[in-house]
Amino acid sequence: MPRMRLDELLEELQARIDAVRGTRDRVHTLLEAVVSVGRGLDLDQVLHRIVEAAALLVDARYAALGVIGPDGRTLCRFLTVGLGDEQVARIGAPPSGHGLLGEIIRNPEPLRIGDIPEHPSSYGFPAHHPPMRTLLGVPIRVRDEVFGNLYLTDKRGGQDFDAEDEALITTLSVAAGVAIDNARLYEGAQRQQRWLEATAEITRSLLSGSPRLDVLELIARRAQEITGARLADVSVPVPGTRALVVELATGGDHALRRGLVVPVNGTLSGAAYTAGTPVTSADLPHDPLYDAGPRRFDGLGPAVAVPLGTGMDDTRGVLLLARGEGEPVFSGAELDPLPAFAGQAAVALELAERRRDAEQLALLEDRDRIARDLHDLAIQRLFATGMTLQSATRLIEHDGAAERVSRAVGDLDETIKIIRSTIFGLRTREEDAAAGPGLRARVARAVGDAATALGHPPRLSMEGLLDTDVPGEIADHVMAALSELLSNAARHAHATRVEVSVRATPTEVALTVTDDGRGVPAAVGRRSGLRNLAERAESVGGTFTTTTPQEGGCRARWSAPLHLSS
């Protein structure tokens, strides 16, 4: 009996020694986990280390960390341990925090469950999800804020999670909160430093006199890089309309987005433009508030639109930033610097306008000087030369020579007329055109107005003395032809690129409209609109033709002589 009693005591002593060793080992593992999660300053690395350390600490088969979103009710990120990439892809979208996972969100206290399927809040598992029975959930607090929750399932060996496991994970969550706070502070300091560097770079670009578009592109690219956005668009208002046009685009399919016209009503950019304050969306492609305009956000998710200006009445455009699908929404710390940064874009636009006004003023002054010199010097000398030659004609006895001198005098008269017409064109002012717009202003306005219907602004080039040499009747015909051709490009051609050229020579004025659309189907024949253009050209002695460029589409040319036959 004494020997049996001794054996029992020895076994009990060994059990207590094993328990002490186990406790020592778990405390040692806990200390290693605390040191591990506090070692890095990159937030993503810290979060992954927390999940791995938690799984190792309680010997869980699966572990996850859910980051609570800005609404405080759902999960915006979900990091897992124990599931392979292929298995995660087969399961599909990560959980959003409903059902059993939402228990700790709604009541941020430790939770232990011995049988997950039997719990009243359990919704079951999605297809291809591994079966799980036990659960230990612990919230992670960063100061007074619940940052997220640790979820651990299926302890190896088939045992349930006990109070000691809960105490270990609760202790780890405290260290995790400190590590997350440090990582977020470091991340914020780094982001602030990058904003300051970008602001200094933009200021240098502005002071060096860089072109307006170069400064806007610099602003868009720096904002895209710092916020981790997939794309950045700068939109400016279309004069006389309730629409914005994407003047600059970076990232993604930027070439297709540049030039797109989007309505103010029903778009994120339009909402920011109207309100004069930043506007956000958690899922822009599926946001019912912003479903107007062309589809350009497939595959994207969170977005923010920031007005470019210093107030509601001084908005010159909108900077739009969008992240990829499934990426985190823009946090308050990320949004705070954006208005001041967008103000740099407003300054760029303001300086560009002032610089353009100064250049226009200098150009007008230079035109006045050229016109004055042409009138006072060139015309007077040509006139004097013509008078001299005309008087000399009487002294020439040879008929052929006299005829040639007379032709030279006529050429001088024609040259004087051309120079006077040039002087008149140089001295034409915008204010003069306001009373009765010339052909140039009418063409520019018509092309600008067509941007909304086309979905992009057409390219425009004008050459020659359109306002002085083209008679009013011919100018009206040109405008009618331009309106019809732009309408065809918008309604029938479905073109993505339209080019307009108006050119005046001493003998004719020619309008050419080229697009990359469907062209004119041969089986359809000439539409009534095209037939009317041909008849209009014939009525003034001109021509109208349509051809197909080598790259496809349609090129329509309408021309008329400048001097109507009597």
Side-chain angles (χ1 to χ4, degrees):
M1 291 296 294
R3 184 176 181 83
M4 292 176 61
R5 180 62 178 165
L6 180 62
D7 289 342
E8 290 176 0
L9 291 174
L10 289 174
E11 289 177 0
E12 182 180 351
L13 177 61
Q14 185 63 43
R16 293 188 178 185
I17 291 173
D18 291 341
V20 170
R21 285 177 177 173
T23 302
R24 182 199 63 185
D25 292 342
R26 300 196 79 176
V27 170
H28 182 68
T29 304
L30 174 62
L31 292 175
E32 287 183 345
V34 170
V35 172
S36 173
V37 299
R39 185 177 296 129
L41 287 175
D42 181 80
L43 184 57
D44 288 336
Q45 292 182 4
V46 169
L47 297 181
H48 281 286
R49 285 176 178 171
I50 291 171
V51 183
E52 293 171 351
L56 180 64
L57 196 58
V58 296
D59 200 21
R61 187 182 303 274
Y62 306 106
L65 192 157
V67 181
I68 299 177
D71 59 2
R73 300 187 302 272
T74 57
L75 301 176
C76 62
R77 294 185 66 185
F78 199 75
L79 296 80
T80 61
V81 167
L83 297 175
D85 294 339
E86 182 178 348
Q87 196 171 11
V88 171
R90 291 178 63 193
I91 294 173
S96 58
H98 300 292
L100 189 56
L101 298 184
E103 285 290 319
I104 312 179
I105 299 177
R106 293 184 289 272
N107 182 28
E109 298 293 337
L111 176 67
R112 276 186 288 149
I113 298 176
D115 193 350
I116 294 176
E118 296 299 324
H119 195 276
S121 298
S122 177
Y123 286 174
F125 298 107
H128 309 296
H129 195 287
M132 297 178 181
R133 188 181 68 84
T134 59
L135 170 70
L136 171 59
V138 176
I140 299 176
R141 286 182 169 85
V142 178
R143 301 187 184 185
D144 297 330
E145 168 197 0
V146 178
F147 175 82
N149 301 311
L150 272 172
Y151 303 100
L152 300 116
T153 60
D154 286 4
K155 189 171 183 177
R156 298 182 189 277
Q159 301 176 356
D160 291 346
F161 293 105
D162 55 24
E164 186 177 347
D165 295 326
E166 180 182 320
L168 287 172
I169 297 301
T170 301
T171 304
L172 177 66
S173 70
V174 174
V178 174
I180 291 171
D181 191 30
N182 290 337
R184 290 167 71 177
L185 290 173
Y186 177 76
E187 188 179 71
Q190 291 291 99
R191 183 169 53 247
Q192 185 65 27
Q193 179 65 26
R194 295 180 67 187
W195 282 120
L196 292 174
E197 292 174 353
T199 301
E201 184 181 5
I202 293 166
T203 301
R204 289 194 299 270
S205 180
L206 286 171
L207 295 177
S208 65
S210 298
R212 172 175 173 272
L213 280 180
D214 291 351
V215 177
L216 286 181
E217 182 175 5
L218 178 62
I219 291 171
R221 289 195 181 280
R222 292 297 173 267
Q224 179 186 353
E225 294 168 1
I226 295 174
T227 60
R230 184 173 296 182
L231 62 82
D233 289 353
V234 176
S235 303
V236 296
V238 179
T241 67
R242 291 281 296 170
L244 302 170
V245 59
V246 180
E247 185 176 14
L248 187 140
T250 64
D253 52 352
H254 59 90
L256 297 178
R257 298 197 314 276
R258 189 180 299 120
L260 282 177
V261 176
V262 297
V264 169
N265 297 327
T267 60
L268 188 68
S269 296
Y273 177 77
T274 302
T277 57
V279 180
T280 61
S281 174
D283 187 9
L284 186 56
H286 306 97
D287 197 322
L289 296 176
Y290 312 113
D291 57 355
R295 297 297 302 174
R296 53 177 174 139
F297 300 119
D298 293 336
L300 299 176
V304 57
V306 187
L308 307 180
T310 57
M312 293 181 60
D313 299 329
D314 190 32
T315 302
R316 299 178 178 274
V318 178
L319 170 64
L320 175 71
L321 300 168
R323 286 176 173 162
E325 186 177 5
E327 295 184 7
V329 298
F330 290 88
S331 64
E334 292 174 314
L335 295 177
D336 288 342
L338 280 177
F341 188 75
Q344 294 281 342
V347 173
L349 295 172
E350 180 74 19
L351 287 178
E353 290 180 5
R354 296 295 177 264
R355 189 180 296 122
R356 184 171 61 248
D357 291 342
E359 291 173 353
Q360 183 69 14
L361 181 61
L363 176 63
L364 293 176
E365 291 177 349
D366 202 35
R367 285 183 174 181
D368 282 342
R369 180 188 59 79
I370 294 172
R372 188 167 54 251
D373 291 344
L374 285 174
H375 183 273
D376 296 343
L377 301 176
I379 288 184
Q380 298 303 327
R381 295 192 64 176
L382 288 174
F383 187 75
T385 303
M387 292 292 292
T388 302
L389 290 175
Q390 193 171 13
S391 62
T393 305
R394 305 188 189 94
L395 305 177
I396 300 175
E397 297 180 356
H398 192 277
D399 294 339
E403 183 182 355
R404 296 180 65 179
V405 171
S406 297
R407 283 203 305 267
V409 172
D411 291 341
L412 287 174
D413 288 340
E414 189 65 28
T415 302
I416 291 173
K417 291 180 182 179
I418 293 174
I419 294 177
R420 282 177 172 166
S421 177
T422 303
I423 293 172
F424 181 78
L426 288 172
R427 286 179 170 168
T428 299
R429 297 290 193 274
E430 291 294 332
E431 56 266 28
D432 298 333
L439 183 56
R440 280 181 179 271
R442 295 170 67 186
V443 169
R445 185 176 297 111
V447 171
D449 292 343
T452 303
L454 290 168
H456 55 85
R459 294 185 179 181
L460 173 63
S461 65
M462 292 184 283
E463 183 180 350
L465 303 177
L466 299 175
D467 292 337
T468 57
D469 281 9
V470 181
E473 181 183 351
I474 299 297
D476 292 339
H477 285 299
V478 171
M479 291 307 302
L482 176 61
S483 177
E484 177 66 25
L485 292 175
L486 289 176
S487 177
N488 286 342
R491 291 184 301 167
H492 304 301
H494 301 288
T496 61
R497 178 179 55 82
V498 177
E499 297 180 3
V500 177
S501 171
V502 184
R503 182 172 182 267
T505 66
T507 58
E508 72 167 6
V509 59
L511 165 68
T512 305
V513 178
T514 307
D515 65 64
D516 62 350
R518 300 176 178 178
V520 181
V524 175
R526 298 180 70 85
R527 297 189 181 96
S528 60
L530 300 182
R531 185 167 56 251
N532 291 339
L533 291 180
E535 293 174 355
R536 186 184 291 273
E538 293 172 359
S539 68
V540 293
T543 59
F544 174 69
T545 59
T546 58
T547 58
T548 301
Q550 185 175 0
E551 61 274 13
C554 177
R555 178 179 290 117
R557 186 179 188 275
W558 191 97
S559 65
L562 288 182
H563 302 288
L564 295 175
S565 57
S566 56

